[in-house]
Amino acid sequence: MPVGYSVAMTARPTPDTVGDPPDDLWLNAEEKEAWTGLVSLVLLLPGQLDAPLQQHSGLSLFEYLTLSHISEAPDRRLRMSELAFLANGSLSRLSNVVKRFEQRGWVERSPDPEDGRYTVAALTDAGYDVVVDAAPVHVRAVRQLVLDPLTAEDQEALARIAAKLRVRPADLA
Amino acid sequence: MPVGYSVAMTARPTPDTVGDPPDDLWLNAEEKEAWTGLVSLVLLLPGQLDAPLQQHSGLSLFEYLTLSHISEAPDRRLRMSELAFLANGSLSRLSNVVKRFEQRGWVERSPDPEDGRYTVAALTDAGYDVVVDAAPVHVRAVRQLVLDPLTAEDQEALARIAAKLRVRPADLA
DNA sequence: ACGTTTAACTTCAAGCATGAAGTCATGCCG
DNA sequence: CGGCATGACTTCATGCTTGAAGTTAAACGT
């Protein structure tokens, strides 16, 4: 068994054949850089973004997004399925979160009068106060961690890249 | 109380004052686009990247990265702290993962002979087989979900942006 | 030598996410 | 009409992550 190297996305086991054929099984240097960068974003940022909210308001990022999106909706009410889409979560995840919010008196759920299959989540005044209190903390964190380190071109590129990669789940269940 | 709108990172409550002063409390259109894009990446991609690995090998992305990084290290051994850094996880998270791997016979832990404070994780042959089996599935997913939708310029920009945003935790605990 | 500090883990309890299965309201088709 | 299919949730068991507290080894200062 050869001395250990090379399972994954690094140089290939066989070091340097002449005239590299494009190889679908491994990533080249540029691809690897993009991938490792994305991985560290995806694995490290959530915690960084959660922390300030968690400390100040006891909210996770996803919980904050949930409250925030309801607060921005007309009449501060939103169907669960629309909310799940906006907050980038599954219906199951959202349902659990909203249940906890309801127990804290921040949100109330009721069947949609126009179609009983939908559930409408409505923000209470207490819930509104929570978002208003948390918003500045959140915005500050977003600026410090994300926006400030990037140039305008970076921000534009980020939006473009995210749009290309965004794969909305076919089923939100 | 005014009709509900505007808590968070959207247009400001007061619609259009003339000659916008730069406002630190809210995000403008470009900033918001970059931010919402990043959020959906960060919230949706992990699940998308986990799925193929989970289905084929019962591994999460983080678990795969763990095994993969050990397999690429000299002699297929790595200190826990280095591994945690490479895999973008906390030492606590890694410790739990490696414990499970050890129970499955994929990894063995031992104190570093050169400095007893370190723990060295070594990949077994069985563990090596697992990575070798999972790698093609993983690479295929990375290509389909991330690399293929992006141009070379996009990939370059992504690597640059990730480097700017990467905030390695000061303490990995 | 010896206590103190630092740092690398490890452990465990609490809380959250996931995904499969169940419930229920509508729409649809015969 | 009546049953079936669809889609929007809701629930719950399982497993994982988190963070605080504990353990141990080396370095450091006296």
Side-chain angles (χ1 to χ4, degrees):
Chain A
M1 163 174 43
V3 128
Y5 236 69
S6 84
V7 167
M9 45 203 37
T10 254
R12 317 214 272 293
T14 45
D16 274 39
T17 54
V18 203
D20 303 313
D23 188 340
D24 281 15
L25 286 180
W26 307 97
L27 307 185
N28 64 37
E30 294 78 28
E31 291 170 332
K32 194 185 170 189
E33 235 185 310
W35 165 242
T36 57
L38 182 61
V39 157
S40 69
L41 279 196
V42 151
L43 290 182
L44 296 179
L45 259 190
Q48 309 256 331
L49 292 166
D50 274 343
L53 280 170
Q54 198 66 255
Q55 207 170 348
H56 183 269
S57 311
L59 294 173
S60 69
L61 174 61
F62 182 72
E63 290 174 327
Y64 173 80
L65 291 174
T66 299
L67 293 176
S68 166
H69 279 296
I70 309 182
S71 80
E72 293 175 1
D75 214 14
R76 291 181 196 154
R77 344 178 91 252
L78 218 44
R79 292 177 171 177
M80 292 289 284
S81 42
E82 296 178 25
L83 186 49
F85 179 83
L86 290 172
N88 296 290
S90 69
L91 210 35
S92 170
R93 181 180 191 179
L94 178 65
S95 185
N96 285 318
V97 165
V98 169
K99 185 205 293 178
R100 296 195 294 268
F101 286 168
E102 206 169 25
Q103 290 166 351
R104 298 178 205 171
W106 297 350
V107 165
E108 283 166 3
R109 277 183 291 187
S110 54
D112 188 332
E114 308 202 350
D115 186 335
R117 288 172 296 187
Y118 293 92
T119 301
V120 175
L123 202 61
T124 66
D125 290 349
Y128 186 77
D129 291 344
V130 171
V131 205
V132 169
D133 180 62
V137 174
H138 172 64
V139 172
R140 197 174 311 127
V142 171
R143 287 205 177 282
Q144 285 183 3
L145 295 170
V146 177
L147 266 12
D148 289 349
L150 300 181
T151 67
E153 292 76 31
D154 290 337
Q155 295 182 13
E156 199 181 345
L158 178 53
R160 184 183 69 241
I161 290 167
K164 289 182 179 179
L165 297 189
R166 195 172 316 164
V167 186
R168 294 285 188 173
D171 64 332
L172 281 173
Chain B
M1 163 175 39
V3 128
Y5 237 70
S6 85
V7 167
M9 43 203 40
T10 254
R12 316 215 271 293
T14 46
D16 275 38
T17 53
V18 204
D20 303 314
D23 188 341
D24 280 15
L25 288 179
W26 307 97
L27 307 185
N28 65 34
E30 295 77 30
E31 291 171 333
K32 194 185 169 188
E33 236 186 309
W35 165 243
T36 56
L38 182 60
V39 158
S40 69
L41 279 196
V42 152
L43 290 182
L44 296 179
L45 259 190
Q48 309 257 331
L49 293 166
D50 274 343
L53 279 171
Q54 198 67 255
Q55 208 171 348
H56 183 269
S57 313
L59 294 172
S60 69
L61 173 61
F62 181 73
E63 290 173 327
Y64 174 79
L65 291 174
T66 299
L67 293 177
S68 166
H69 279 295
I70 309 181
S71 80
E72 293 175 3
D75 214 14
R76 291 182 196 154
R77 346 177 90 252
L78 218 44
R79 291 176 171 176
M80 291 291 283
S81 43
E82 295 177 24
L83 186 49
F85 179 83
L86 290 172
N88 297 287
S90 68
L91 210 35
S92 170
R93 182 180 191 181
L94 179 64
S95 184
N96 284 316
V97 165
V98 169
K99 186 205 294 178
R100 295 196 294 270
F101 285 168
E102 205 168 26
Q103 289 165 351
R104 297 178 205 170
W106 297 349
V107 166
E108 282 166 4
R109 279 185 288 189
S110 54
D112 188 332
E114 309 203 348
D115 186 336
R117 288 172 297 185
Y118 293 92
T119 302
V120 175
L123 202 61
T124 65
D125 290 350
Y128 187 76
D129 292 344
V130 171
V131 206
V132 169
D133 180 61
V137 174
H138 172 64
V139 172
R140 197 173 311 126
V142 171
R143 288 205 175 281
Q144 285 182 3
L145 294 170
V146 177
L147 266 14
D148 289 349
L150 300 180
T151 67
E153 292 77 31
D154 290 336
Q155 294 182 14
E156 200 181 343
L158 177 54
R160 186 183 67 242
I161 291 167
K164 289 183 180 178
L165 298 188
R166 196 171 316 165
V167 185
R168 294 287 188 173
D171 64 332
L172 282 174

